[in-house]
Amino acid sequence: MSVSASADLGPSSDREARRRLGAAAMADTRGPIHWIGANLAAALGYFVLGMAVSQFFAVYGLFPAPIWLPASVAVVAATLGGARMVPGIFAGSFAINFLVFEASLPATLLISVGNALGPVIAAALLARFRPPNGIFTRFTGVVAFIVCNVLLHPAITASTGTLALAMQGDLLPTQLYSLWIQWWLCDSGGTLCFAPALLLLLGIERETQAADPDRFRRNLAIWAAVAVGAVALFATLPLPGAIPWGLPFLLVIPLSWVALRISLRAAYSLVSLVAVVAAGATVAGFGPFQGPEVGNPLQLVGVLIVLLALTVLTIVSLVSELREAEAASEAKSMLVAAASHDLRTPLNAMIGFSELMRDETWGPIGNPRYRTYVEHIHESGLMLAEIINGILDLSKIQAGRRELTVRRLEWSKVGDACLRLIAPQAQQKSVILTTRAEPGIVVHADEMALRQILINLLSNAVKFTPAGGHVVLHCTQMPDGGTAIEVVDDGIGMDAAGVAKALEPFGQVGPGGGGTGLGLPIAARLAALHGGTLDIVSTPGEGTVVRVTLPAPRPPGA
């Protein structure tokens, strides 16, 4: 702000990171001629924009301007060159304050020092918290931008400006706080309404998504329609009942659409246009904010600017995070599937050949130690195959590619088949397997998925139950037609932290459990795919109850 306030406010991310590193290296190697030119451009831009803003608002008796747009030039210059741009920002501020506003030399010097150091300090701090893919691609980046450039930078310039005017002795102590708030609002509003647009238009900050070149004409037509509508909205005469004062706030809808469907650059250029038009028209006495029911029109302009700017930046950053997370998840799933497929071929050969050697199909092995080694190879191969199959199952579920064929199943057949598969494991550990279920229970589920859930739960229960313990498979039909399945054991049990860990992929709980740590997570996700739940109640030293509920079938047409 000027002294005038004394009177009265992915693969793409890798490419982007390399581009940023290259730009930083280039910035360090650019010669003095480049930086002299950049400083001259910053000084000229600051001075010309300051002249235009101050002269326009002075016509309507506003001194200072309610929004100090040169603050945006200072922010962009500091972001581009850091401390190298201090001379240009200082010179532009000095020229506007000393030549146009005719401030005293000491006041001009102190104000210009603050106007130059404020954005440079903010830019240096922002660089420490800057997300690698760009400020506006992460919500944390948007917050950092607001804190550094919209809050901190104006606070520095307002503090030095207020101090400069206080040193002149023209102000009463009671006026200092009001002046500081006014100065801070001027620079904060100017930064918020213009700086992001400049950063994006000049290519200093990365776009969250590129506009589709094949739809350039359509995008341009939409952008122009929103711009013309916004200008027309604020060009109206303040006739009673002509346009409700709340109507401009609905501009958040088309601006959000432009941000998500076209680009952030296009949307924020509209935000800047709306901010300038709304402020200028309102000061000139036009637009819906001039109605008799509006107490402070310029205050509404400020609220509108903040609403539009923060909504566009927040929506775009959150959607950008979601898109990158989805892309990363898809890439991870493809990598896991490809790697697992490539591992399966040699692994199946290893398991098959080790079985032939273990069974001595083509003759005796000879040395007994070799038999032991072959057993270890075979067991390790089976373990690795189990891990790969578990990872593939989990990745399919997480990627939404596990399809279910839900049909009516007889519980007795599915439950008994799973118990028979687990029986050898239970006999080896001397664990007693039993089942309790009423006759005629029907389950509506995908048979393969249900078998996988039961085998995983029963296998876990047997694994963590000592010799002589009991594992019970219990099933009941709920009144609404759904099914409740429980696997109860009197094994080692878990505390609350252990339960949470057991439900995480590769979470291992308890000593000597073995396994992959994928059984419970897969069972929980398969239950969720059915629209059901998986809950665990466990007490250390007493045992565990795992309860799976599966919903009743939906009525036709529901």
Side-chain angles (χ1 to χ4, degrees):
M1 181 181 171
S2 72
V3 71
S4 57
S6 61
D8 290 284
L9 177 198
S12 58
S13 61
D14 291 339
R15 290 193 297 271
E16 177 66 17
R18 288 194 294 270
R19 188 184 73 80
R20 293 289 176 188
L21 289 174
M26 186 179 296
D28 290 335
T29 58
R30 284 169 176 167
I33 295 178
H34 168 83
W35 292 114
I36 290 173
N39 277 275
L40 289 174
L44 183 62
Y46 195 105
F47 179 78
V48 171
L49 196 56
M51 280 282 294
V53 170
S54 60
Q55 292 299 320
F56 174 81
F57 287 106
V59 171
Y60 298 97
L62 286 177
F63 192 76
I67 298 175
W68 188 242
L69 294 181
S72 294
V73 175
V75 166
V76 172
T79 303
L80 186 62
R84 299 181 184 88
M85 298 302 296
V86 166
I89 303 171
F90 178 89
S93 174
F94 185 92
I96 193 72
N97 283 281
F98 190 71
L99 300 178
V100 178
F101 300 127
E102 299 179 351
S104 66
L105 181 60
T108 299
L109 290 172
L110 185 53
I111 290 170
S112 299
V113 167
N115 286 347
L117 291 182
V120 171
I121 292 173
L125 185 62
L126 180 59
R128 297 177 62 88
F129 299 99
R130 186 183 188 279
N133 291 341
I135 293 175
F136 304 125
T137 63
R138 292 285 186 276
F139 181 68
T140 54
V142 172
V143 172
F145 176 84
I146 297 299
V147 170
C148 295
N149 285 330
V150 182
L151 301 180
L152 176 62
H153 150 230
I156 295 173
T157 58
S159 298
T160 56
T162 303
L163 177 62
L165 298 181
M167 290 172 60
Q168 293 187 144
D170 298 334
L171 297 172
L172 297 174
T174 55
Q175 296 176 298
L176 296 179
Y177 177 73
S178 175
L179 174 63
W180 188 93
I181 290 295
Q182 205 170 23
W183 201 305
W184 181 84
L185 287 174
C186 286
D187 286 359
S188 179
T191 300
L192 185 61
C193 77
F194 211 43
L198 285 177
L199 290 171
L200 291 165
L201 289 170
L202 296 176
I204 299 172
E205 278 303 325
R206 176 195 171 206
E207 272 279 20
T208 55
Q209 66 176 17
D212 187 353
D214 295 335
R215 298 186 175 182
F216 174 77
R217 291 184 178 179
R218 187 209 68 167
N219 294 342
L220 182 60
I222 294 173
W223 189 95
V226 176
V228 170
V231 172
L233 187 63
F234 283 96
T236 56
L237 293 173
L239 300 176
I243 299 179
W245 66 266
L247 187 61
F249 292 93
L250 295 180
L251 286 170
V252 71
I253 298 174
L255 288 178
S256 299
W257 190 93
V258 171
L260 294 176
R261 294 299 183 91
I262 301 179
S263 69
L264 177 59
R265 181 189 293 118
Y268 215 94
S269 61
L270 284 172
V271 171
S272 300
L273 176 65
V274 170
V276 172
V277 170
T282 301
V283 167
F286 293 93
F289 292 162
Q290 292 292 350
E293 69 277 13
V294 178
N296 190 335
L298 282 179
Q299 188 177 54
L300 280 182
V301 172
V303 173
L304 177 65
I305 293 171
V306 171
L307 173 69
L308 297 181
L310 295 188
T311 299
V312 167
L313 291 177
T314 300
I315 287 178
V316 169
S317 63
L318 292 176
V319 170
S320 174
E321 290 186 20
L322 177 62
R323 286 171 175 165
E324 291 195 15
E326 290 175 345
S329 177
E330 180 68 18
K332 180 193 72 173
S333 299
M334 293 176 63
L335 177 62
V336 168
S340 300
H341 179 271
D342 291 341
L343 285 172
R344 273 179 165 177
T345 301
L347 184 59
N348 289 336
M350 183 178 76
I351 294 172
F353 288 132
S354 64
E355 285 180 352
L356 290 174
M357 296 174 67
R358 182 194 62 185
D359 299 339
E360 298 182 334
T361 303
W362 305 110
I365 292 178
N367 194 318
R369 289 187 178 181
Y370 291 154
R371 178 183 294 275
T372 303
Y373 297 157
V374 168
E375 287 288 349
H376 290 330
I377 294 171
H378 186 260
E379 291 174 1
S380 299
L382 292 176
M383 181 65 178
L384 185 56
E386 182 184 355
I387 293 174
I388 291 174
N389 290 333
I391 292 174
L392 280 176
D393 285 338
L394 191 61
S395 65
K396 285 180 180 178
I397 295 171
Q398 290 177 333
R401 292 201 298 266
R402 178 68 183 264
E403 297 181 359
L404 301 181
T405 303
V406 177
R407 60 189 184 90
R408 187 177 185 275
L409 303 172
E410 294 182 24
W411 166 253
S412 58
K413 292 183 179 180
V414 178
D416 290 346
C418 294
L419 287 173
R420 286 194 297 271
L421 288 173
I422 298 298
Q425 179 185 348
Q427 291 172 359
Q428 187 178 8
K429 288 199 63 179
S430 300
V431 173
I432 301 171
L433 273 179
T434 56
T435 180
R436 293 201 312 266
E438 300 172 359
I441 292 180
V442 173
V443 183
H444 295 272
D446 179 279
E447 184 171 0
M448 293 301 297
L450 179 59
R451 285 174 179 264
Q452 191 170 3
I453 292 172
L454 296 177
I455 291 171
N456 287 352
L457 298 184
L458 290 169
S459 176
N460 267 1
V462 171
K463 189 184 303 178
F464 295 105
T465 300
H470 295 77
V471 173
V472 181
L473 177 61
H474 185 216
C475 183
T476 56
Q477 198 88 59
M478 295 188 293
D480 63 353
T483 311
I485 303 167
E486 291 183 344
V487 175
V488 185
D489 67 67
D490 52 8
I492 62 174
M494 299 175 286
D495 57 15
V499 170
K501 184 178 180 181
L503 287 171
E504 296 176 357
F506 305 102
Q508 296 280 358
V509 181
T516 63
L518 293 173
L520 274 177
I522 290 175
R525 285 162 174 78
L526 288 175
L529 279 181
H530 283 86
T533 60
L534 184 147
D535 301 298
I536 301 176
V537 178
S538 187
T539 304
E542 295 183 12
T544 301
V545 178
V546 182
R547 179 183 175 89
V548 176
T549 59
L550 299 176
R554 294 181 179 180

